[in-house]
Amino acid sequence: MENVIEIRNIRKKFKGFSIDNLDLQVKKGYITGFIGANGAGKSTTIKMIMNLLKPDTGEVKLFGLDYKTHEKEIKERIGFVYDENVFFEGLNLKDIRKIVGPAYRSWDDALFYQYVKKFDLPLNKPIKTFSKGMQMKVSLAIALSHHAELIIMDEPTAGLDPIFRREFLNLLQELMLDGSRTIFISTHITTDLDRIADYIAFMQNGELVFNHSGHDLVENYALVKGGLDLLDRDTEKAFVRVHRASTGFEALTKDRRTVNEIFGDSVVIERASLEDIMYYFKELNHA
């Protein structure tokens, strides 16, 4: 399966924080959610993918190409969706088209106007009058109008009302139907990704914890609840982390099958959400 993004052995060191030996592959034709707490290294990783930051060591390739020799070609094929306005506030969409269009060889005027209409965006009003959701739609319309194959989003749904968020997520799923695009979306709103993501890459403290398909997460990760009498040194090995209370325990496992073999019907096994997984891994890190 072809990878659109390939990050190999990346290191990037800052004062008080570093990304160490990061390996991350993003598969073509799918939505990959990029999760992690604030400060985990998500935005730094995206900046390296966009060539806005250079890694200290390692390599970043997009579409099998490196920035050193193919920067213009790579950037022609990427669309970045901002969660705020990046244009001069007095400009309207007609002005923006005149500025942005000539920058891309594959710019498609007819497609731009098609998405402006689809997204219900006014052509003649200044960008400063647009809501946050409308500004995001502008970024998406621009990305789609130059036929971007890879769309990168950094916290796109933060601050949006629930109805608009749902509409936006439905739109992303529509965009994936023809199989020609790849979406890489970083967000701390994990419920969004529970709905739309095919793959989940999870970063914590500058390291990649996992990069799994949604199917693998559902099959393997689970919350387990049971009585304290079931726990001992051996049975606890089946869990990432255990929480004890006077009424019993709750734990996260990444091996549902082993838990079934050990405990059988003596425990309750429930699906673990992405939020559950992030929480228990954070607790593990603090233990």
Side-chain angles (χ1 to χ4, degrees):
M1 192 180 295
E2 185 181 344
N3 293 323
V4 171
I5 300 173
E6 291 187 313
I7 295 174
R8 305 280 183 192
N9 300 317
I10 284 296
R11 289 191 172 197
K12 184 68 181 177
K13 193 172 180 63
F14 301 94
K15 187 176 180 180
F17 176 77
S18 63
I19 288 179
D20 296 308
N21 293 322
L22 177 61
D23 283 283
L24 174 64
Q25 289 78 49
V26 175
K27 299 184 189 319
K28 180 180 179 180
Y30 295 95
I31 298 176
T32 293
F34 194 33
I35 65 172
N38 290 338
K42 302 191 305 298
S43 291
T44 298
T45 301
I46 286 176
K47 285 175 182 175
M48 288 191 284
I49 291 171
M50 298 287 292
N51 203 33
L52 300 174
L53 269 180
K54 305 283 187 186
D56 298 333
T57 60
E59 66 175 5
V60 177
K61 286 189 174 182
L62 280 79
F63 313 104
L65 308 172
D66 62 69
Y67 276 108
K68 194 175 291 185
T69 50
H70 299 280
E71 180 166 10
K72 184 166 177 54
E73 182 180 344
I74 291 170
K75 290 193 171 176
E76 280 272 344
R77 299 168 72 180
I78 297 176
F80 190 82
V81 175
Y82 300 90
D83 67 345
E84 58 189 16
N85 178 41
V86 294
F87 301 103
F88 178 66
E89 290 189 338
L91 296 177
N92 62 34
L93 279 178
K94 285 184 176 178
D95 300 325
I96 290 171
R97 182 194 65 80
K98 289 176 185 175
I99 295 167
V100 175
Y104 294 100
R105 284 177 299 176
S106 55
W107 181 263
D108 187 330
D109 251 359
L111 200 55
F112 175 75
Y113 285 113
Q114 179 182 318
Y115 278 111
V116 166
K117 184 176 180 181
K118 180 180 176 68
F119 297 164
D120 200 23
L121 297 170
L123 278 169
N124 298 306
K125 288 187 176 180
I127 292 290
K128 66 182 177 184
T129 66
F130 286 20
S131 68
K132 185 170 183 175
M134 290 169 71
Q135 289 172 4
M136 192 193 314
K137 283 183 173 180
V138 171
S139 286
L140 187 56
I142 290 169
L144 295 170
S145 297
H146 66 86
H147 299 278
E149 298 165 50
L150 169 63
I151 298 175
I152 298 173
M153 304 180 179
D154 193 3
E155 300 289 351
T157 57
L160 299 180
D161 69 71
I163 293 172
F164 186 89
R165 266 181 46 220
R166 176 164 289 199
E167 289 174 352
F168 183 72
L169 295 173
N170 289 341
L171 171 62
L172 295 186
Q173 288 179 304
E174 280 179 34
L175 295 176
M176 299 300 292
L177 291 177
D178 66 3
S180 65
R181 293 189 187 89
T182 303
I183 294 178
F184 186 68
I185 176 170
S186 168
T187 181
H188 67 278
I189 305 175
T190 54
T191 50
D192 290 349
L193 299 179
D194 280 324
R195 288 187 60 223
I196 67 166
D198 303 296
Y199 290 87
I200 298 291
F202 173 28
M203 277 197 85
Q204 184 169 268
N205 299 325
E207 296 182 354
L208 188 69
V209 178
F210 61 68
N211 183 13
H212 292 323
S213 71
H215 176 266
D216 285 345
L217 287 173
V218 170
E219 287 290 305
N220 297 314
Y221 283 79
L223 285 182
V224 183
K225 299 174 182 179
L228 292 174
D229 59 303
L230 298 172
L231 295 178
D232 58 37
R233 185 177 296 177
D234 290 327
T235 58
E236 284 194 41
K237 291 177 182 176
F239 303 120
V240 172
R241 181 88 172 128
V242 178
H243 273 168
R244 290 174 171 80
S246 59
T247 53
F249 76 88
E250 179 180 282
L252 178 74
T253 183
K254 56 181 178 180
D255 190 351
R256 181 194 285 255
R257 183 175 298 170
T258 295
V259 167
N260 268 319
E261 290 172 357
I262 294 171
F263 297 102
D265 294 334
S266 58
V267 295
V268 175
I269 300 175
E270 300 174 351
R271 178 176 176 176
S273 68
L274 293 177
E275 188 174 305
D276 294 327
I277 292 169
M278 286 178 65
Y279 173 72
Y280 273 91
F281 271 96
K282 184 179 180 182
E283 289 288 298
L284 175 68
N285 194 55
H286 288 170

